[in-house]
């Protein structure tokens, strides 16, 4: 599909001028506008209300200095960001990413995508995202704490349980959320659900850690069921070995599949016997070591340098769960040539537009990130609900709600794809279904004069 609608082309050109050089953000906006063409043709009321122009412009974008002192007493300076993209359907909600690749473009692309993803969950959450170019790798606990406290000292001015509720993302797990939560509480003298992904001692939700990976498998299961198929006996390749990848592995295995490859930014491991998740968790969650360790500890497993080669490992189901644009056209062609049957995205925008086109042209059922990985934020939404009610649900209760939410997301995306005349194209379906709710709310709330 190309962007041919003259009106939306104009909207895109303004975004491209205003955000020149921000390739990730422009890529995300282009893909969504492409999908929205059938809506622009039918809904003059959205055009009259300026919804398309407004939805691609963040409501607020905050950029700030984060200074902190390292273990040698040296002052370090990083850059912090928070984008408050859209609050039409609820408080801004979206994770914080700590990675050297973080810049304004990455944060805006993530915040834009988050708006549609959060809408798809059916919960009242707007879109936001934040982060810093701080690299947590190799830092001591003390350095991580001092960075997180400094980051929160500024961020606290802009967030709140009813305003903006950040969570984890790449480089931010329970440890970092704890340091940030502690600092927010000190500054505000308030114990509120201002962050999600908290520890269970401080109002966290059971099943939040597992939610994105589990949710990805629940969504993929709906794709499989629609094709009269199941996870049973399937070979699965999962990129990454972080929070999303590890719990996607766990659920896929529970559903009867065998996960034969995983990666990190240094390379990938193949284990035809099925990745031993206890060993992987020990290496990645406890020791925070490199994935090559796995091949040293597990007989028959092999390590391969470089991460892109993982897509040459023959499999039935591919679940990219590492980072944006990690699966390019070469990777997609290799997967298709080796007979991949289903692809679903655990990471945000891991497939390049060319890779997505390759899957769709070859009729491979494809689950786009904003639908397939929405289980994390959905469970964050459930954490907010528990915090507001001042009670905690059991693991089973949260997991059951997550399962229902993922089924509903699949159903909404599929039904929207049918309504747009491209049945089964979940890229279009997810964009349209996510957009409609936000667009109606924006129209209803009027424009500030
Ligand atoms: P983590 O930091 O826990 O893990 C990221 C993993 O990806 C690490 O194993 C990292 O390796 C690896 N990685 C990074 N770059 C590459 C690369 N180029 N090739 C291969 N592996 C790479 O992050 P999460 O698991 O939380 O997040 C992963 C993705 O999922 C991100 O896109 C995130 O936005 C998305 N997501 C996360 C959610 C969550 O709840 N956590 C919710 C929804 C989406 P290394 O250790 O070497 O850097």
């Amino acid at each position: 599909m190309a962007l041919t609608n003259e009106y939306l082309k104009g909207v895109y050109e303004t975004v491209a001028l205003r955000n020149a050089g921000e390739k990730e953000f422009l890529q995300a906006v282009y893909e969504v506008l492409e999908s929205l063409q059938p809506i622009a043709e039918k809904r003059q009321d959205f055009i009259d209300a300026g919804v398309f122009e407004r939805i691609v412009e963040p409501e607020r974008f905050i950029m700030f200095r984060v200074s902190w002192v390292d273990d040698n007493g040296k002052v370090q300076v990083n850059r912090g960001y928070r984008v408050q993209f859209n609050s039409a359907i609820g408080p801004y909600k979206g994770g914080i990413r700590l990675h050297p690749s973080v810049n304004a473009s990455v944060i805006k692309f993530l915040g834009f995508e988050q708006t549609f993803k959060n809408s798809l969950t059916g919960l009242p959450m707007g879109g936001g995202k934040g982060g810093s170019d701080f690299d947590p790798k190799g830092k001591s606990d003390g350095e991580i704490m001092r960075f997180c406290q400094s980051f929160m000292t500024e961020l606290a001015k802009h967030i709140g349980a009813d305003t903006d509720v950040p969570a984890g993302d790449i480089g931010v797990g329970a440890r970092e959320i704890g340091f940030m939560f502690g600092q927010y509480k000190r500054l505000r003298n308030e114990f509120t659900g201002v962050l999600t992904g908290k520890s269970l001692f401080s109002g966290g939700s059971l099943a939040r850690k597992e939610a994105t990976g589990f949710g990805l498998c629940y969504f993929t299961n709906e794709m499989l069921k629609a094709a009269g198929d199941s996870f049973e006996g399937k070979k699965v390749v999962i990129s990454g070995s972080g929070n999303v990848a590890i719990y996607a592995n766990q659920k896929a295995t529970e559903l009867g599949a065998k996960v034969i490859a995983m990666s990190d930014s240094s390379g990938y491991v193949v284990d035809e016997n099925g990745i031993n998740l206890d060993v992987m968790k020990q290496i990645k969650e406890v020791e925070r070591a490199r994935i090559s360790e796995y091949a040293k500890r597990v007989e028959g497993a092999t390590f391969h340098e470089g991460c892109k080669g993982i897509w040459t490992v023959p499999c039935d189901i591919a679940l990219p769960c590492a980072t944006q644009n990690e699966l390019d056209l070469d990777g997609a062609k290799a997967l298709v040539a080796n007979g991949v049957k289903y692809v679903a995205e655990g990471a945000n925008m891991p497939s390049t537009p060319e890779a997505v086109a390759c899957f769709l042209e070859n009729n491979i059922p494809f689950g786009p990130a904003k639908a397939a990985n929405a289980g994390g934020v959905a469970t964050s939404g459930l954490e907010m609900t528990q915090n507001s009610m001042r009670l905690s649900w059991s693991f089973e209760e949260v997991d059951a709600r997550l399962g229902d939410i993922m089924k509903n997301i699949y159903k909404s995306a599929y039904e929207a794809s049918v309504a747009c005349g491209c049945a089964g194209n979940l890229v279009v379906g997810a964009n349209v279904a996510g957009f409609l709710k936000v667009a109606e709310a924006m129209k209803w709330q009027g424009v500030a004069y």
Side-chain angles (χ1 to χ4, degrees):
M1 199 192 282
L3 188 54
T4 51
N5 178 286
E6 285 304 321
Y7 182 74
L8 292 183
K9 262 165 78 178
V11 172
Y12 179 76
E13 277 159 19
T14 306
V15 177
L17 269 179
R18 220 174 242 161
N19 304 279
E22 297 191 352
K23 69 179 171 53
E24 294 85 1
F25 179 48
L26 296 180
Q27 180 183 334
V29 170
Y30 191 92
E31 185 218 270
V32 169
L33 292 180
E34 260 182 344
S35 301
L36 297 181
Q37 293 180 100
I39 306 298
E41 277 151 26
K42 280 191 281 203
R43 296 292 301 262
Q44 185 61 38
D45 57 331
F46 287 161
I47 294 179
D48 293 344
V51 166
F52 295 101
E53 288 88 342
R54 288 193 282 145
I55 209 164
V56 294
E57 181 69 18
E59 289 175 19
R60 196 170 295 109
F61 184 69
I62 303 145
M63 198 171 88
F64 49 99
R65 183 178 66 204
V66 187
S67 352
W68 55 281
V69 180
D70 70 18
D71 286 347
N72 299 318
K74 190 170 179 307
V75 175
Q76 301 285 344
V77 178
N78 286 99
R79 184 172 276 185
Y81 303 90
R82 185 76 186 163
V83 68
Q84 298 181 328
F85 219 106
N86 194 301
S87 60
I89 63 168
Y92 310 105
K93 177 94 198 86
I96 292 172
R97 176 176 293 192
L98 299 182
H99 194 271
S101 64
V102 165
N103 56 34
S105 170
V106 168
I107 294 298
K108 279 195 245 169
F109 121 65
L110 290 165
F112 179 69
E113 292 281 291
Q114 195 80 46
T115 303
F116 302 95
K117 183 189 304 192
N118 292 0
S119 162
L120 279 169
T121 66
L123 300 172
M125 300 182 290
K129 199 81 189 186
S132 171
D133 57 3
F134 172 80
D135 187 357
K137 274 206 196 80
K139 302 288 192 299
S140 68
D141 282 354
E143 289 176 322
I144 298 279
M145 183 175 75
R146 291 193 292 280
F147 170 83
C148 289
Q149 291 176 339
S150 178
F151 182 82
M152 182 51 85
T153 300
E154 176 59 31
L155 191 67
K157 297 171 190 160
H158 310 283
I159 62 175
D162 295 320
T163 310
D164 183 355
V165 184
D169 189 69
I170 292 179
V172 177
R175 174 180 61 167
E176 292 75 17
I177 292 290
F179 294 147
M180 291 185 198
F181 183 77
Q183 185 69 350
Y184 182 88
K185 194 167 59 63
R186 258 171 235 121
L187 290 166
R188 291 287 188 91
N189 194 24
E190 261 177 30
F191 193 115
T192 61
V194 66
L195 290 159
T196 58
K198 298 185 291 298
S199 108
L200 296 179
F201 307 117
S202 295
S205 174
L206 286 162
R208 172 60 187 92
K209 184 174 67 171
E210 294 83 358
T212 310
F214 277 23
L216 170 65
C217 292
Y218 296 146
F219 186 90
T220 309
N221 208 23
E222 294 303 301
M223 291 167 57
L224 289 156
K225 280 200 271 180
D229 208 343
S230 78
F231 266 105
E232 196 60 47
K234 296 285 185 302
K235 283 191 176 184
V236 181
V237 163
I238 301 180
S239 63
S241 46
N243 175 260
V244 180
I246 283 184
Y247 293 96
N249 181 329
Q250 184 168 321
K251 186 50 73 178
T253 307
E254 278 172 26
L255 292 171
K258 193 195 273 185
V259 178
I260 54 166
M262 291 181 82
S263 62
D264 68 12
S265 58
S266 64
Y268 64 99
V269 288
V270 180
D271 184 348
E272 289 291 344
N273 296 319
I275 299 274
N276 180 326
L277 202 53
D278 289 338
V279 176
M280 189 59 85
K281 281 184 179 173
Q282 173 66 25
I283 295 169
K284 285 297 179 184
E285 292 189 332
V286 181
E287 297 170 28
R288 297 178 192 260
R290 308 315 294 155
I291 205 162
S292 49
E293 274 301 310
Y294 182 89
K296 290 183 197 154
R297 295 183 198 180
V298 178
E299 215 185 309
T302 49
F303 172 71
H304 308 259
E305 257 177 49
C307 8
K308 296 218 162 156
I310 193 168
W311 309 122
T312 64
V313 178
C315 62
D316 303 303
I317 301 175
L319 303 176
C321 294
T323 195
Q324 66 269 8
N325 292 328
E326 52 160 320
L327 202 182
D328 60 14
L329 182 58
D330 288 344
K333 281 183 176 164
L335 282 168
V336 172
N338 285 327
V340 75
K341 297 190 184 78
Y342 308 90
V343 180
E345 298 184 316
N348 282 313
M349 206 167 75
S351 316
T352 64
E354 297 76 22
V356 177
C358 174
F359 295 132
L360 296 180
E361 278 155 20
N362 285 282
N363 295 319
I364 310 289
F366 176 78
K370 61 174 74 69
N373 76 15
V377 74
T379 307
S380 279
L382 300 178
E383 183 174 332
M384 289 165 74
T385 308
Q386 293 169 78
N387 291 165
S388 301
M389 296 165 79
R390 301 252 193 273
L391 52 77
S392 310
W393 293 330
S394 66
F395 188 98
E396 291 69 30
E397 180 157 6
V398 179
D399 192 33
R401 285 176 193 265
L402 168 65
D404 288 344
I405 290 172
M406 298 314 294
K407 275 187 196 159
N408 285 335
I409 293 176
Y410 178 83
K411 189 167 173 277
S412 316
Y414 183 78
E415 286 174 359
S417 75
V418 173
C420 291
C422 50
N425 182 333
L426 300 175
V427 175
V428 171
N431 285 334
V432 167
F435 169 81
L436 283 174
K437 182 173 162 193
V438 179
E440 294 288 6
M442 289 172 75
K443 187 184 132 193
W444 176 69
Q445 288 170 21
V447 184
Y449 287 100

